[in-house]
Amino acid sequence: MKKIANGTEYIDSLRNRDLKIYLFGELVEDPVEHPMIRPSINALARTYDLAVEAPELASVISPFTGERVSRFLHVCTSAQDLVKQNKMQRKLGQDTGTCFQRCVGMDAFNALYSVTFEIDEADGTSYHERMKTFLTLMHQYNYVIGGAMTDVKGDRSLPPHQQEDMYVRITKRDESGVYISGAKAHQTGCINSHWIIVMPTIRLGAEDKDFAIVGAIPVDAPGITYIYGRQSCDTRSMEEGDIDVGNAQYGGQEAMIIFDNVFIPNDKIFMDGEHDYAAMLVERFTSYHRRSYVCKSGVGDVLIGAAAQIADLNGVPKASHIKDKLIEMTHLNETIYATGIAASYQGHPTKAGNYICDDMLANVCKHHVTKMPYEMGRLAQDLAGGLVATLPSEQDLNHPEIGGLLRKYLQGAKGTETEDRVRILRLIENMTLGRNAVGYLTESMHGAGSPQAQRIQIMRSMQVEYKKRLARVLAGIEEVGDKDQVAEELSGYFGRVFGLEV
Amino acid sequence: MKKIANGTEYIDSLRNRDLKIYLFGELVEDPVEHPMIRPSINALARTYDLAVEAPELASVISPFTGERVSRFLHVCTSAQDLVKQNKMQRKLGQDTGTCFQRCVGMDAFNALYSVTFEIDEADGTSYHERMKTFLTLMHQYNYVIGGAMTDVKGDRSLPPHQQEDMYVRITKRDESGVYISGAKAHQTGCINSHWIIVMPTIRLGAEDKDFAIVGAIPVDAPGITYIYGRQSCDTRSMEEGDIDVGNAQYGGQEAMIIFDNVFIPNDKIFMDGEHDYAAMLVERFTSYHRRSYVCKSGVGDVLIGAAAQIADLNGVPKASHIKDKLIEMTHLNETIYATGIAASYQGHPTKAGNYICDDMLANVCKHHVTKMPYEMGRLAQDLAGGLVATLPSEQDLNHPEIGGLLRKYLQGAKGTETEDRVRILRLIENMTLGRNAVGYLTESMHGAGSPQAQRIQIMRSMQVEYKKRLARVLAGIEEVGDKDQVAEELSGYFGRVFGLEV
Amino acid sequence: MKKIANGTEYIDSLRNRDLKIYLFGELVEDPVEHPMIRPSINALARTYDLAVEAPELASVISPFTGERVSRFLHVCTSAQDLVKQNKMQRKLGQDTGTCFQRCVGMDAFNALYSVTFEIDEADGTSYHERMKTFLTLMHQYNYVIGGAMTDVKGDRSLPPHQQEDMYVRITKRDESGVYISGAKAHQTGCINSHWIIVMPTIRLGAEDKDFAIVGAIPVDAPGITYIYGRQSCDTRSMEEGDIDVGNAQYGGQEAMIIFDNVFIPNDKIFMDGEHDYAAMLVERFTSYHRRSYVCKSGVGDVLIGAAAQIADLNGVPKASHIKDKLIEMTHLNETIYATGIAASYQGHPTKAGNYICDDMLANVCKHHVTKMPYEMGRLAQDLAGGLVATLPSEQDLNHPEIGGLLRKYLQGAKGTETEDRVRILRLIENMTLGRNAVGYLTESMHGAGSPQAQRIQIMRSMQVEYKKRLARVLAGIEEVGDKDQVAEELSGYFGRVFGLEV
Amino acid sequence: MKKIANGTEYIDSLRNRDLKIYLFGELVEDPVEHPMIRPSINALARTYDLAVEAPELASVISPFTGERVSRFLHVCTSAQDLVKQNKMQRKLGQDTGTCFQRCVGMDAFNALYSVTFEIDEADGTSYHERMKTFLTLMHQYNYVIGGAMTDVKGDRSLPPHQQEDMYVRITKRDESGVYISGAKAHQTGCINSHWIIVMPTIRLGAEDKDFAIVGAIPVDAPGITYIYGRQSCDTRSMEEGDIDVGNAQYGGQEAMIIFDNVFIPNDKIFMDGEHDYAAMLVERFTSYHRRSYVCKSGVGDVLIGAAAQIADLNGVPKASHIKDKLIEMTHLNETIYATGIAASYQGHPTKAGNYICDDMLANVCKHHVTKMPYEMGRLAQDLAGGLVATLPSEQDLNHPEIGGLLRKYLQGAKGTETEDRVRILRLIENMTLGRNAVGYLTESMHGAGSPQAQRIQIMRSMQVEYKKRLARVLAGIEEVGDKDQVAEELSGYFGRVFGLEV
């Protein structure tokens, strides 16, 4: 196989794999040609095509191979690199109107890059070199790397080792490597990847040692079963026609992965028992990944456009309340973008030399993402008008007898096409209730951690003792003191704020 | 045909009608047995069964027939009557988790009751008596009355008479009655009704005289075509199984009605050309109907229950943030209820003697309904966890090979059933993204008027001149004055507030 | 002394009392003539004058004396009575633009009326008769009753009895009565009352028996010290002129009361050691009192009026965003009113026969009050323009040299007076930052319990098990069952919702 | 006079000036020693002391003089420079808890730097050189430059030239320069400046030519009158003691400036009649200045600290709702910071070579500032408890007789000082209702333009046509097309987003 050069070659690379995928109680013959799965493949293919059309935005020169590869395969070595990820993510959100599924893996190996370095430094292991070798391989083929983090958690009051067979863990090992079992839920784009990096999902204790396993596995490794997730309006992709589905070309993908003694060879293992680094890995991953939700500002651009377009087609004059709602949507959407790039821009180097995002701002960004798309969806439904929920079917619209009547009675502004109006309304339905509502709303809620996870992380970074001192000084309780205040605060979050390494 | 006594008899009453209904480009043979339509019929049937189970709540003694009939057929003659409608609506929202489609007609004839009285008083017509005769007929059979108000509006910058064939209007007349043509969009529950009252949808001018037509028509009158509306996840009702659909029993119904020279006999005409009463009718109807959205507090009770139930099944300990979100949902939900019953309670008699809601508070209620269910839906998705968007299909859950694995890996709290967890998650999906999300969210947005309509109505009722005077007096600009302030304000909204007729 | 007939007689009734009041480190000679205290007296006096001007609204025929007395002295014996309290409260908010300080006492004896009845029923005491005798006395003179509930709490991790001398408690007793010591904070209008009812502030245990004391005390009883609270811009009332203060006539009053062995005779004791009734008393009091915050909708009417008036004076054309903000303010303001009267209307009788508010809705009302006035204040500042924060002093405005310049340069719309503009801006400052901002904002936050107290109470009333069952039934987990669902829910909150005793 | 080296020298530089300042109807003898004015001088002095303590943060090497000067005098020549302004602003907000008044001038000459360049380029004038000469002079002395933009607007329906004497304009001219008259309102820190740059405040037409005047004037130029603005609790600074004022050391300053034929010599004129550049100047100024409101995140840090501190002193255990409110405050506060630095980071070079902020993101930042501090203030009042509004005076707290009682009864957590509790509460009062509430709240609302101004600017930048096309393509209405989409969007806002010049 040669290096994947564009979307078409990517799609071809997914053919003829031996994957065990269940959907509607049946094994999927060929996911590439499955009408319900294909839109998710198209979305990922778009990441390749954008790299061709806008190489500065979506590709880099690999430091490993010297050739141009996807920016999704890049280890960030500057704040600018982090920001550029965001810019690429926004563009892909604009182009697909949904989740293009390629950020998890990117954020995973960026986190692992520094964590493996620090494990090696402490323990004399060689995970970091293995990681670089693995990335070199990925760069050679320009592959898609998926990231598998979220275990099914079973009884959440119990740690992994007290549950028989839930979290992914090492079940046996031999000289050549280890075998893992367990299940991962909510695996975005897993079937559309070439390789998957398996990682632990929570802080682990000494007794959870077997769960402290990180490794790379080809998606078609023996012992893996995928069960495809059902989402709102999923079967519309399987109907005839391209109107009712709303966005005929693109969709997201969520599946469950069950591992049954799946083998990881030694050279693809990046953590093996170092349980006390699990929390570090999770935190670094989420620091990257929460900021990656800037992609939703690109999806939001589409929704704003759809809302503005339907206002035109509805023939409402430029009423002030309509303009005001578009402004509000934009204000919210740009807040997501701005907090995201601020998190990237205020990134800082790790010991390994690569850059990581500002954790506080990454959490602020993601926390907005758990709310603002919902409000934007509400506003889009407002601007759409009631028709978004009462439209007749595509078949009726094209019916020889009543089709003409519908096109007459459902016309909006003079001189516009009824079908255009229907198509935009179906797109709004798609993004707020239908196929891609999961990608725009529910995934925005739960991806990279549910809202409470961000609040906890914000609490950890908020340096409340420093702030209390500011208040005490101004209230006249405490002297400004001898210590150099500015120097003292140069640690943690305010170290990054005032550190001036911009 | 005899008086309908319960839900089963109601469903039977819908059989063997000669309706022309299009769905997916085909004529529907029998809507009663159509798997996608039946849930909407069940929801309406529930209004009959509740009347049997809780007669005080859902029925009244008819002043026309002396027999017990549905409260949905009652002309309210006290503020208590208005409040009781709300209580019945909340209960039916609780029982069905969706729209039970029977409020439009109720609110329509309550509005017409007083409008016909006032037309007669002014013009010497006899619409009011006709209306009472019509209601007597409806009471005799305990029928469902639908209300058809919302015209397709075509080019919104043009009045009805400047558009060739959009708004419903009189096309011809003879001695026995009139014939109407045009189209009505977003007709909630129309196919599940026995009779439909057709009404104008906006303020009309002298040149719109032909559009000032109100009349009652049997749903199977010749010349009517229904086109069924598609909604999110509608086809899940047509799949095997009862899990993935989320709420297998109940659903809403929206359709478009096209009238092609449909006849209305003279004795069923309640307005004919009195164009200057169109605005009065619309305003009175919306005053009732915006407050009828109290039903969504009943649906909200189900969503709160589902959110609380999934928190249990997820096995999360009673985390404070989870309790807090349930409290927030309740706070929002009860605000809808409280503003609704306040609008009813502060109702007042019309010239005809029946009672109408307080317009300001009815609009405040509905305006909350355009926002709060969306926020409640967002919170429910938060509490649900990511699984709400990645669940496997029912067929996979019941699959001989992987069904057991799924039931193991997707189990939540110890001792609970995975299937119960799946069912509750599918219910949350149903209400926030799926089949009944339209009934809970989009209909809450647009039904009875979109948000801006309420804001305009609030502006009209807000008596800003009175309030400016209050400010001027306190600022020392104006004397309190000779006039009895309290007396002066006894008109409009503050007349109702301080009028003390409680 | 004779029965107080109007505001003037009320003010006279406050003269020549022997009160020990500290303010700015000095004893206040005569509070009635103190320029900083007088506005609070005027506000309370307004309650008397309104009773003269609008007797239906603000007075009742006493069931004890047969004469007309203030509605603030009335024990509510119907839901209508509760609603009428709200209507009177809104009017007084409109007339004073601040807190008129008379609700605490009203809500206290209404709560005590039923609690004393139930103690007597259980324990054979005679508190209820004493209460009626006390109320008869109050009615004879048409007195102001204050309520003293909020103890200084010291170390909140310790119960009252583990703190040496903080909460008010019995220090000694003799045959004629008891003596109490301790301190009460945040005593609204205490100095403007004739009598004060002292009550416990929290749930008490057996060891807190001495703290379970309720009794009535004349404000000038020996052993009482009042320390007047400072609030934003309080000293402006003491300056020359009437412009800069914003609302020259009316203000609120908060003071601390220190009891040093203050005597309560036996016939004025309404609880003495029945510690297990303390929680009932607190809950009933807050059920009345949280709904009493409907008064803020009257204050809000003034602020809306001021915002609309300043928009006129600023000469801005009727820009859509300005109208929209006035609508938003009204929407929020009417939500407070509507939830309040809904709580009253859904009131229910106690064992003693008097009526108490619906607890759920009372808490929903108050919870809105902790947020909405702040948002309304923000919007009023928005509409005011920057001048609200940069206005020159009254002395400069009236200065012979620069006064004319200021009146020229600060003029707004053509033909309007600069001074009027200044006066309205100072009123907005008064209500959002200044003298009455405490009454409109901070008191709305903390009076009758801080926000978290309402959330806890909402949780207690929300009947989550009932709601979970609704969800399970619709999800297909549970059968509807044999039991009569409607009957079963006729307890607690939903008992009131569906009980139909309207 | 020599170059100002620190805060003390700055304060000395303000002595012995001949300024005509009115306050309370009297001329102010010496503003430096006036107790109500001094806190505002202290706040500005802090900008000098921070430059000494943290030179990297608050100073630069002047490109004009080669010596170290305040960063407030720096023309930004990189995005990093813009970001560093924000970091300095946040620190000063933390140190002073209020407005330090030095941003207007900084943002004014940064805008003028490029506008003068472009006027010169078009018209062959030499304003740009004059500006550089002026800045060199300012750098030599390390002076404070104020910016005077906001005219009193009189009748807003009329342009400047149709109002006799309101907007500042040229009244006469001679060979040496021009004379200006008119009034400027809301002049932040004007009395604390050394020089003021006068600029037009709105878009001007050809007939408004005389109003198109920009020039620099020393604050003590003949013909200038200052009238000091009154703000909430201003006179507390004039009372004895340092507790009740809340923040004894720092405050803001707002005054009105009346110009009566004030002379500007030719070499200090930077625009003279080029009316079509007025809009460009205003827009560039607001682009800098709206993002400068990042300072409020520093003030917000103080308020968060005060809220956390009072929770400790109140002795409430770490209740989850308290932690949650501190997290919420932080989330809001960091959103201000993040959107601000994103606006700076996405800055871009002007033709003159200096850098200007991203206009969209600057407006998004400021728009949050018009809301979030109000919500943070509300939450701080929530955490404070009712005592924040009922505290006794400092004199009572220190009174020989009752001081001890107050210190006993008002104590919170064991082992803490009552006075500390009082001081923190007074600080919260100061920031949310009192002296610095204007600086934290009202100025956040109206400074750099009221909320609607930002919404208009967001609308101008939102590129809705581009977004509509995104929607049409995904809805299947429009082909992706031949044109290179990515190239096409490289203009306006999305040009900056995807331009990749990071």
Side-chain angles (χ1 to χ4, degrees), chain D residues 88-98 100 295 298-299 302:
Chain D
M88 170 179 68
Q89 288 162 331
R90 183 164 187 174
K91 188 77 198 81
L92 286 164
Q94 288 187 346
D95 286 354
T96 63
T98 189
F100 38 87
C295 66
V299 183
V302 176

Side-chain angles (χ1 to χ4, degrees), chain B residues 8-319:
Chain B
T8 305
E9 290 187 17
Y10 160 69
I11 293 173
D12 287 341
S13 78
L14 301 185
R15 299 185 199 274
N16 304 316
R17 298 176 303 165
D18 187 19
L19 301 182
K20 192 175 175 187
I21 307 169
Y22 279 96
L23 176 53
F24 296 130
E26 292 174 4
L27 281 169
V28 173
E29 283 283 321
D30 178 5
V32 175
E33 298 305 331
H34 193 291
M36 204 173 111
I37 299 177
R38 182 56 177 268
S40 74
I41 294 171
N42 292 341
L44 215 153
R46 180 76 200 130
T47 69
Y48 284 95
D49 287 331
L50 183 68
V52 176
E53 295 167 17
E56 284 302 309
L57 190 62
S59 72
V60 293
I61 302 296
S62 165
F64 301 121
T65 67
E67 290 187 39
R68 196 163 278 279
V69 296
S70 171
R71 186 178 289 285
F72 283 101
L73 290 173
H74 187 48
V75 175
C76 290
T77 54
S78 68
Q80 285 73 3
D81 271 354
L82 293 168
V83 173
K84 283 179 183 174
Q85 289 182 337
N86 285 149
K87 291 168 179 281
M88 171 179 68
Q89 288 162 330
R90 183 165 187 174
K91 189 75 197 85
L92 285 164
Q94 289 187 345
D95 286 354
T96 63
T98 189
C99 173
F100 38 88
Q101 316 144 46
R102 209 172 170 181
C103 301
V104 182
M106 172 179 80
D107 295 333
F109 69 71
N110 267 281
L112 275 168
Y113 192 87
S114 65
V115 172
T116 53
F117 184 92
E118 296 184 36
I119 299 176
D120 290 358
E121 196 183 51
D123 297 355
T125 45
S126 57
Y127 297 131
H128 191 64
E129 273 310 306
R130 287 183 189 171
M131 173 57 59
K132 290 204 278 193
T133 305
F134 171 69
L135 288 173
T136 305
L137 178 72
M138 296 298 103
H139 284 208
Q140 279 162 353
Y141 294 98
N142 205 12
Y143 273 152
V144 173
I145 305 175
M149 176 170 263
T150 312
D151 291 275
V152 296
K153 299 200 180 67
D155 189 319
R156 288 169 195 228
S157 65
L158 300 175
H161 72 275
Q162 288 182 13
Q163 305 200 54
E164 207 177 331
D165 172 24
M166 299 298 270
Y167 287 72
V168 170
R169 77 223 169 272
I170 298 168
T171 45
K172 58 180 177 176
R173 67 170 70 233
D174 57 26
E175 289 198 358
S176 56
V178 302
Y179 296 80
I180 61 169
S181 289
K184 295 278 186 185
H186 328 311
Q187 295 304 299
T188 306
C190 55
I191 293 164
N192 301 341
S193 303
H194 300 98
W195 284 75
I196 294 172
I197 299 177
V198 175
M199 302 169 283
T201 194
I202 54 165
R203 177 180 299 272
L204 297 174
E207 293 176 289
D208 300 314
K209 209 162 179 291
D210 289 343
F211 298 80
I213 175 68
V214 177
I217 304 172
V219 290
D220 55 0
I224 300 185
T225 303
Y226 300 91
I227 301 111
Y228 214 87
R230 288 209 67 177
Q231 300 183 335
S232 178
C233 296
D234 46 10
T235 55
R236 284 210 196 163
S237 308
M238 300 168 70
E239 299 177 4
E240 293 291 310
D242 74 333
I243 296 179
D244 286 3
V245 66
N247 177 348
Q249 205 174 349
Y250 299 116
Q253 174 181 95
E254 299 289 341
M256 189 171 169
I257 311 181
I258 300 179
F259 296 91
D260 179 14
N261 284 304
V262 176
F263 178 66
I264 312 178
N266 287 329
D267 68 322
K268 297 290 185 300
I269 295 175
F270 311 124
M271 180 189 291
D272 181 3
E274 291 83 2
H275 59 86
D276 40 348
Y277 285 87
M280 180 194 278
L281 175 57
V282 173
E283 277 180 24
R284 291 197 182 171
F285 171 73
T286 55
S287 184
Y288 287 107
H289 200 46
R290 288 183 184 162
R291 165 238 42 159
S292 280
Y293 276 77
V294 160
C295 66
K296 302 306 178 202
S297 69
V299 184
D301 288 327
V302 176
L303 191 63
I304 295 167
Q309 185 68 67
I310 198 62
D312 289 357
L313 291 169
N314 283 348
V316 281
K318 295 281 178 177

Side-chain angles (χ1 to χ4, degrees), chain C residues 22 25 155 165 186 230-232 236 239 244 370 374 378 381 389-391 396 408-409 414 433 446, chain D residues 25 155 165 186 230-232 236 239 244 370 374 378 381 389-391 396 408-409 414 433 446:
Chain C
Y22 280 96
D155 189 319
D165 172 24
H186 330 310
R230 289 209 68 176
Q231 301 183 334
S232 177
R236 284 209 196 163
E239 299 178 3
D244 287 3
T370 67
Y374 285 83
R378 193 185 72 82
Q381 287 196 5
T390 68
L391 276 177
D396 290 318
K408 181 179 86 172
Y409 283 125
K414 278 240 161 109
L433 294 168
H446 292 293
Chain D
D155 189 318
D165 172 24
H186 329 308
R230 289 209 67 177
Q231 301 183 334
S232 178
R236 284 210 196 162
E239 298 178 5
D244 286 3
T370 67
Y374 284 83
R378 193 185 72 81
Q381 286 196 6
T390 67
L391 277 177
D396 289 318
K408 180 179 88 171
Y409 283 125
K414 278 241 161 111
L433 294 168
H446 292 293

Side-chain angles (χ1 to χ4, degrees), chain C residues 72-307:
Chain C
F72 284 101
L73 290 174
H74 188 47
V75 175
C76 290
T77 54
S78 68
Q80 284 75 2
D81 270 354
L82 293 168
V83 173
K84 283 179 182 173
Q85 289 182 337
N86 285 149
K87 290 169 180 281
M88 171 179 68
Q89 288 162 329
R90 183 165 187 175
K91 189 76 197 84
L92 286 164
Q94 288 188 345
D95 286 354
T96 62
T98 189
C99 173
F100 37 88
Q101 314 145 47
R102 210 172 169 182
C103 301
V104 182
M106 173 179 81
D107 295 332
F109 68 72
N110 268 279
L112 275 168
Y113 192 87
S114 64
V115 172
T116 53
F117 184 91
E118 295 183 36
I119 299 176
D120 288 358
E121 198 183 50
D123 297 355
T125 44
S126 57
Y127 297 133
H128 191 64
E129 273 310 305
R130 286 181 189 172
M131 173 57 60
K132 289 204 278 192
T133 305
F134 171 69
L135 286 173
T136 305
L137 178 73
M138 296 297 103
H139 284 207
Q140 279 162 353
Y141 294 98
N142 204 13
Y143 273 152
V144 173
I145 305 175
M149 176 170 265
T150 312
D151 290 275
V152 296
K153 299 201 180 66
D155 189 319
R156 288 168 196 231
S157 64
L158 299 176
H161 74 273
Q162 289 181 13
Q163 306 200 55
E164 207 177 332
D165 172 24
M166 299 299 270
Y167 287 73
V168 169
R169 76 223 168 272
I170 298 168
T171 46
K172 59 180 176 176
R173 65 171 71 234
D174 58 25
E175 289 200 355
S176 57
V178 303
Y179 296 80
I180 62 170
S181 290
K184 295 278 186 185
H186 330 310
Q187 294 304 299
T188 306
C190 54
I191 293 163
N192 300 342
S193 304
H194 300 98
W195 284 75
I196 294 172
I197 299 177
V198 175
M199 304 169 282
T201 195
I202 54 165
R203 179 180 298 272
L204 299 174
E207 293 177 289
D208 299 315
K209 208 163 181 289
D210 289 342
F211 298 80
I213 174 69
V214 177
I217 304 172
V219 291
D220 55 359
I224 300 184
T225 303
Y226 300 91
I227 301 111
Y228 213 86
R230 289 209 68 176
Q231 301 183 334
S232 177
C233 297
D234 47 10
T235 55
R236 284 209 196 163
S237 308
M238 301 168 69
E239 299 178 3
E240 293 291 309
D242 73 333
I243 296 178
D244 287 3
V245 67
N247 177 348
Q249 204 173 349
Y250 299 116
Q253 174 180 94
E254 300 289 340
M256 190 172 169
I257 311 180
I258 300 179
F259 296 91
D260 179 14
N261 285 303
V262 176
F263 178 65
I264 312 177
N266 287 329
D267 69 321
K268 298 288 186 300
I269 294 175
F270 312 124
M271 180 189 290
D272 182 4
E274 292 82 1
H275 59 86
D276 39 349
Y277 285 88
M280 179 194 280
L281 174 57
V282 173
E283 277 179 24
R284 292 197 181 172
F285 170 73
T286 56
S287 183
Y288 287 108
H289 200 45
R290 288 181 184 165
R291 165 239 41 159
S292 280
Y293 276 77
V294 160
C295 66
K296 302 307 179 202
S297 68
V299 184
D301 288 327
V302 176
L303 191 63
I304 294 167

